Amino acid sequence: MHRQEEAEYLEELKNFVLLHCEAQQLKPGGVKEILKRITHAEGSEAGSWTAEWCRVALQMEQLQNWSDAAKLYNLARFPFVENEMQQTAHDACIENFEKSMAQAKVKFETLVLAEGAFKAYATGLDKNWPVVVVCGGIISIKEQWARFLLMAKRLKLCVVVTEMPGVGENTLRYTPETWTLFSQILDAVQGRADTQQCHLMALSFSGHLALLAAAKDSRIRGITTVGAPVASFFRQYNSTAVPLATRRTLSHLTGLTRESLFIQMPDWQITLNDAPKLAIPVHYLQSEYDEIIPSSEIQSLKKIAADARVYCLADVHGSPNNMHLVAPWVLASIMASFPSRKKQALIFRTLWKAKALLSRRRNIAPPKKAEVIAPVLNGKVGSD
């Protein structure tokens, strides 16, 4: 990369990683200290992105803090593996994730699917519980969603966590046709869970695949997504509208050059030509200041989904500054898909509404864009 492009890329990574830190419940102070030491995105020497995250991850590993070690190794291979040190970090992330699950006494099975092309972790099997499949976006590996595996028993759900094509251990290429990964997961747990009741929590770009899957697989009863591209993003795809880190990551996931993406992306938009209008609930979180996904996606969504339930927050992509609202909203939307879980859905919905009311009282006027998109080391910016 040219020097200017590398500087732009590093700045974006420092912005984008904060959402993933929030999602993993890492302490903001420690994250900011690590980010201050990072001076370049590539390489494996001191000051590089991977080396600085690995240094702290190793400290946590030596303290036998397997959970935090896994989270930090995850960020060391962020946004995707392209050198040996990042691969080592990814391997260490998986190893420490497994130790943290054992420490928490969570039993799970590793599903090896599509003849080894991708994997998923499943818990809550053999109890005939409804299924929730959790999948992150173009950066999030399956180990990042350990919290859902931890909650499965309490929620009485079969939870399966996986990752998008091209992400983590998924060796498939991301195309609109890879929506079948969700159906393959349901086929794999058939007879061990109530697969006729499935909810997809598919964040960002995996939401694109979830919408396509729901049009083909009637076992899917609902979708929860955050900042998913539907049509507008693909139609408008260009170097001005899409951040460099997103373009580079999409190129890695698809196996296409950045130039080829400009040509092919418009064909990926979802329209009514692809399938009949969806009748299932689609819970969609829109971030008002999303720097990746255009606001016009709401109109695109309503064209293909008859029951689109949109929740808007004044935040950037993924709404990292509003995780206290996002978490109960997600759980309420998931539980609402299952008739036997209506009571739990009501509890989470009440919690979400109460927190939203409290937030409005504390912030009578909505934040301006400049107040949300603050300098990165203030720890207030996030993205995919």
Side-chain angles (χ1 to χ4, degrees), residues 322 324 357-367:
N322 287 279
H324 63 295
L357 179 61
L358 184 60
S359 292
R360 283 197 297 270
R361 286 178 175 174
R362 287 176 176 172
N363 304 290
I364 297 174

Side-chain angles (χ1 to χ4, degrees), residues 131 179 182-183 186-187 190 194-200 210-223 275 278-281 337-338:
V131 181
W179 62 264
F182 293 115
S183 295
L186 291 176
D187 292 343
Q190 178 75 39
D194 184 0
T195 53
Q196 294 303 313
Q197 294 190 79
C198 172
H199 189 100
L200 302 183
L211 291 167
L212 292 167
K216 305 286 187 180
D217 195 327
S218 62
R219 294 174 293 184
I220 299 166
R221 300 298 183 88
I223 295 172
L278 291 176
I280 63 170
S337 281
F338 311 125

Side-chain angles (χ1 to χ4, degrees), residues 138 174 202-209 211 225-234 250 265 268-270 284 292-294 297 300-301 304 317 384:
I138 59 175
Y174 172 35
L203 305 178
S204 193
F205 284 80
S206 68
H208 171 238
L209 296 179
L211 291 167
T225 189
V226 177
V230 181
S232 298
F233 171 86
F234 299 113
L250 281 172
M265 283 284 104
W268 289 28
Q269 61 182 299
I270 304 175
Y284 189 107
I292 300 173
I293 307 300
E297 289 295 24
S300 301
L301 176 65
I304 65 163
H317 186 71
D384 187 295

Side-chain angles (χ1 to χ4, degrees), residues 312-328:
C312 185
L313 287 171
D315 210 334
V316 292
H317 186 71
S319 290
N321 301 294
N322 287 279
M323 283 296 170
H324 63 295
L325 298 176
V326 175

Side-chain angles (χ1 to χ4, degrees), residues 239-261:
S239 58
T240 303
V242 182
L244 173 61
T246 303
R247 285 180 277 133
R248 285 194 64 184
T249 305
L250 281 172
S251 180
H252 172 76
L253 269 57
T254 60
L256 299 172
T257 65
R258 282 185 262 172
E259 292 73 22
S260 296
L261 283 172

Side-chain angles (χ1 to χ4, degrees), residues 118-136:
F118 73 100
K119 296 178 181 179
Y121 300 136
T123 191
L125 293 166
D126 302 317
K127 299 179 185 296
N128 200 37
W129 286 343
V131 181
V132 177
V133 180
V134 180
C135 187

